[in-house]
Amino acid sequence: MVAEHTVKAFDEDITRLRGLIGEMGGLAEVAIGEAMDALVKGSDALAQAVIARDKRIDALEQDIDQLTVRIIALRAPMADDLREVIASLKIAGMVERVGDYAKNIAKRSGGIKERAQFEPLTLLPAMAEIASGMIHDVLTAYAARDAQAAMAVIECDAKVDAFYDSVFRNLVSHMMENPSTISSAAELLFVARSLERIGDHATNIAEMVYFAATGEYLGDRKDA
Amino acid sequence: MALTVAGLVMGGISLPAVALTGGIWLISLWFEWLRPPPPEQPIHIAEKPDLDAVARAAMQAAIEPVGVPLMLTDSARIFAANSAARLALGAHVTGQDARVALRHPDAVRLLDMAEGGTLTLRGLTGTRTLWQMTREALPGEAGAGLWLIELRDRTAEADMGRAHTDFVANASHELRTPLSSVIGYVETLAENPGGYDAATMARFLGTVLREARRMDSLVSDLMSLSQLEAEKHDAPTGHVDLAAVAARVAGEFAHERRVKFERPDAVIAVAGDTRQLEQLVRNLVDNALKYADGEKPVTVTVALRTGGRNAVLAVADQGPGIAPEHLPHLTRRFYRTDPGRSRAAGGTGLGLAIVKHIVERHRGTLDIASTLGEGTTVTVTLPLIAGEL
């Protein structure tokens, strides 16, 4: 059993805050998957659903902002409680960005022409799977307050970066060989970029989880 | 005092003895003085037993041994989660807001509902997982405000459904590949009525014929597979001499000069279907020949398992072997360790799937042992007909 806080009201606030982060993270994770589905299948309805759902993520971020301000103002948390609240505030901002990237991917799905013959489209789902897996794992690390799991997520980012490099090269050579597909391929470049940024944000969230759990900042990574 | 001592000394008791006794008496006093005071008894105030906590602990104990993930929540918090739930979602779920543990938007929707319900969650614990979540209010007054959440893993069932569609897709793909070749070559021939020189014509027609035959063998494999599926529950009834069947099939491959056949003198009678057992041996020998190096021999052995009541058929090659990670998947339809090579060799991708089905129908076991660089041995064990030995 997790030890409950002595001040019950504070404990309830923290639990609610964590619940909101969890809900927001779940929405962002699903948004990535559905945006990629919309992109690959060319489903406009699915893309619209992702775009509409992003509003809920934004609303949740606002709720979290208000709740953290209220907690700090009313309960004046100290030490690990303060870290938890600050980390949650920052994590909410990052998850909101992840949701935006997913929305961005969904918006671009309309710009791909002649999907069936467009071979570079098959490269991206695997990259999206790693990126959304990172978001899933980092949220689990947040839920478990597990610094080690957060470190494992950070190590994963190299994979996404490597994927981005290879997708980039692949798309550029595809554009040179098939100039007629340049506009579609350019859209995919932006999608790959968004996925890469999602990986970076997962890393940043992992750093905050690490900070909240241990009180230490992870040093800036060289390749950040 | 001095007098007494003097008297005692006079009386023959030595002074050192008196001094010693006195000393011991003093030391004993000193010990009594220094003995630590007894610890204060803690004051017991009869605590009121926390009925809520007791009840919750009892609920935790009640759900713990259940095999499917179960969680109990009050207004928002999970206060009890059984071992299956901790395994699926992580050990941290107890004491957390249920939304932190589940996170999936649909799950959150269900948590927010005033009434319980059931829904399916895709990707709850990782991509491609499928869970069915049920939320139910605990009955009675004592259960007011408490909810039971049950998760059921439907991933395997979804996989089976997907396996079926995958099979249809794979089969169509495998049929279309040779068909595109045939169409391409025939179109080329039709577009040039003047004709080509004899060598080109022969090459084109040879390709068309080869691809058509490949489709033919694929279709017959698909048909035997579907027939096997249809009758997989009926055990075969015929009496078959496994050694004779293997000898006959090995004879078919005699022109290869690489197949060595070893058999015992006795008749090895198994309950079986001659045609299917022939196909089993043929598929195994064919695989061994196809994938092993050109000159290496293939050994077919039929034997009685010593002391057992089983017949053993083993087909061993000295080929490149199969990497361990492929072994569990070899009997899957259209599974290929190296797609390019086995298509070039003319395989349909169904050979071992058919073998597996035949073995299963004959109530036998199939074992594939392989060492990279040394070769592969496929062993089929079939039960003997009782009383035949």
Side-chain angles (χ1 to χ4, degrees):
Chain A
M1 252 341 226
V2 174
E4 290 195 7
H5 212 274
T6 34
V7 183
K8 198 146 197 244
F10 178 78
D11 199 50
E12 273 167 15
D13 281 351
I14 284 277
T15 307
R16 202 169 105 74
L17 179 64
R18 291 172 65 81
L20 288 174
I21 296 264
E23 185 178 348
M24 200 176 167
L27 280 167
E29 195 189 324
V30 166
I32 301 171
E34 289 189 347
M36 286 308 292
D37 271 0
L39 182 78
V40 172
K41 293 180 187 147
S43 158
D44 199 40
L46 201 52
Q48 290 307 320
V50 173
I51 293 168
R53 179 116 40 68
D54 191 56
K55 291 209 172 65
R56 173 81 187 128
I57 298 185
D58 294 350
L60 275 170
E61 195 207 3
Q62 209 164 5
D63 286 357
I64 290 170
D65 272 8
Q66 286 166 0
L67 185 59
T68 41
V69 169
R70 214 173 66 102
I71 291 176
I72 294 174
L74 294 183
R75 320 271 179 224
M78 303 291 277
D80 58 338
D81 293 332
L82 180 61
R83 288 206 304 273
E84 173 99 50
V85 174
I86 295 292
S88 299
L89 181 65
K90 294 182 89 169
I91 288 171
M94 295 170 196
V95 174
E96 194 270 334
R97 291 296 305 150
V98 170
D100 283 351
Y101 285 121
K103 184 173 79 174
N104 210 290
I105 294 172
K107 276 184 180 166
R108 291 186 187 282
S109 77
I112 313 280
K113 293 172 206 82
E114 303 197 356
R115 234 176 217 88
Q117 277 105 51
F118 199 47
E119 174 252 325
L121 207 49
T122 52
L123 299 169
L124 290 171
M127 185 177 174
E129 210 161 281
I130 302 179
S132 83
M134 282 175 77
I135 295 287
H136 182 91
D137 292 349
V138 80
L139 289 167
T140 307
Y142 172 77
R145 297 184 171 96
D146 185 343
Q148 292 311 310
M151 294 278 279
V153 171
I154 292 174
E155 276 156 27
C156 230
D157 191 43
K159 258 194 268 177
V160 176
D161 290 350
F163 234 116
Y164 177 69
D165 285 351
S166 91
V167 168
F168 181 82
R169 250 178 259 131
N170 200 302
L171 281 171
V172 169
S173 61
H174 191 90
M175 284 192 221
M176 286 197 286
E177 285 161 18
N178 313 285
S180 62
T181 63
I182 281 185
S183 67
S184 298
E187 297 279 5
L188 287 194
L189 267 182
F190 283 113
V191 170
R193 179 74 187 152
S194 297
L195 290 174
E196 194 265 340
R197 292 298 300 151
I198 289 173
D200 287 348
H201 277 291
T203 309
N204 292 342
I205 297 172
E207 282 169 8
M208 287 325 295
V209 170
Y210 188 90
F211 168 70
T214 64
E216 286 164 24
Y217 283 105
L218 279 172
D220 277 339
R221 292 169 311 133
K222 289 183 279 304
D223 56 341
Chain B
M1 183 74 176
L3 257 181
T4 331
V5 172
L8 282 173
V9 171
M10 291 302 161
I13 299 168
S14 63
L15 192 64
V18 174
L20 191 69
T21 317
I24 287 171
W25 176 66
L26 277 173
I27 287 169
S28 73
L29 265 183
W30 186 63
F31 264 107
E32 175 59 28
W33 192 269
L34 276 192
R35 204 173 62 176
E40 279 177 42
Q41 289 294 315
I43 303 160
H44 277 290
I45 298 170
E47 273 179 50
K48 269 195 291 182
D50 185 350
L51 281 176
D52 211 32
V54 171
R56 288 179 176 201
M59 285 192 242
Q60 167 75 46
I63 61 171
E64 184 66 23
V66 180
V68 294
L70 287 180
M71 286 169 287
L72 291 164
T73 64
D74 47 25
S75 54
R77 219 191 278 252
I78 298 172
F79 66 83
N82 69 353
S83 55
R86 293 197 300 271
L87 191 70
L89 299 169
H92 57 272
V93 295
T94 317
Q96 299 262 6
D97 190 311
R99 285 178 295 177
V100 180
L102 293 166
R103 292 207 295 275
H104 196 287
D106 291 336
V108 171
R109 199 158 49 81
L110 183 57
L111 288 171
D112 289 340
M113 277 199 257
E115 270 145 41
T118 298
L119 48 77
T120 312
L121 306 173
R122 197 170 290 279
L124 180 69
T125 54
T127 41
R128 277 195 271 282
T129 54
L130 196 70
W131 290 85
Q132 186 185 324
M133 172 179 165
T134 307
R135 179 168 175 261
E136 236 176 82
L138 290 191
E141 207 176 304
L146 303 184
W147 296 83
L148 175 72
I149 295 174
E150 182 196 8
L151 293 172
R152 273 179 191 275
D153 193 351
R154 299 281 184 218
T155 313
E157 287 158 49
D159 277 351
M160 268 165 69
R162 196 161 47 229
H164 185 74
T165 43
D166 280 359
F167 172 69
V168 175
N170 277 331
S172 322
H173 174 79
E174 295 285 332
L175 281 168
R176 202 167 66 179
T177 317
L179 194 56
S180 328
S181 269
V182 170
I183 291 173
Y185 278 97
V186 172
E187 259 176 9
T188 314
L189 289 172
E191 274 169 14
N192 188 353
Y196 294 86
D197 58 277
T200 315
M201 285 292 279
R203 192 160 57 83
F204 279 18
L205 290 174
T207 310
V208 169
L209 194 59
R210 194 178 63 238
E211 295 298 321
R213 289 219 171 103
R214 207 172 110 192
M215 282 176 67
D216 182 51
S217 60
L218 187 59
V219 169
S220 48
D221 274 0
L222 283 171
M223 281 165 65
S224 31
L225 203 56
S226 75
Q227 192 179 357
L228 276 165
E229 292 234 307
E231 58 188 17
K232 67 179 168 191
H233 296 299
D234 316 326
T237 49
H239 282 215
V240 181
D241 178 7
L242 186 63
V245 167
R248 205 155 50 235
V249 176
E252 290 174 16
F253 289 98
H255 58 279
E256 284 276 356
R257 294 175 196 288
R258 284 162 59 198
V259 181
K260 291 186 180 152
F261 179 55
E262 290 165 17
R263 62 168 292 179
D265 297 329
V267 169
I268 296 183
V270 295
D273 178 322
T274 313
R275 204 176 44 77
Q276 287 182 358
L277 287 175
E278 273 178 14
Q279 188 174 19
L280 179 147
V281 181
R282 196 177 296 125
N283 283 1
L284 291 179
V285 174
D286 195 42
N287 272 351
L289 287 171
K290 216 174 339 187
Y291 298 118
D293 304 338
E295 300 305 314
K296 305 273 178 59
V298 169
T299 319
V300 181
T301 321
V302 177
L304 290 169
R305 164 117 345 133
T306 16
R309 311 207 51 76
N310 291 320
V312 177
L313 167 83
V315 178
D317 66 47
Q318 297 174 12
I322 304 161
E325 67 265 26
H326 292 303
L327 286 178
H329 309 293
L330 288 177
T331 55
R332 260 166 48 186
R333 298 148 172 181
F334 301 118
Y335 185 83
R336 290 186 159 110
T337 54
D338 178 354
R341 193 187 57 160
S342 72
R343 281 212 187 87
T348 59
L350 293 171
L352 276 177
I354 292 174
V355 166
K356 186 186 122 195
H357 273 88
I358 295 176
V359 171
E360 278 175 1
R361 185 177 171 227
H362 285 76
R363 311 298 190 251
T365 57
L366 173 68
D367 180 62
I368 305 175
S370 188
T371 316
L372 280 177
E374 285 179 25
T376 306
T377 304
V378 183
T379 313
V380 174
T381 312
L382 298 173
L384 289 173
I385 294 175
E388 282 288 327
L389 266 181

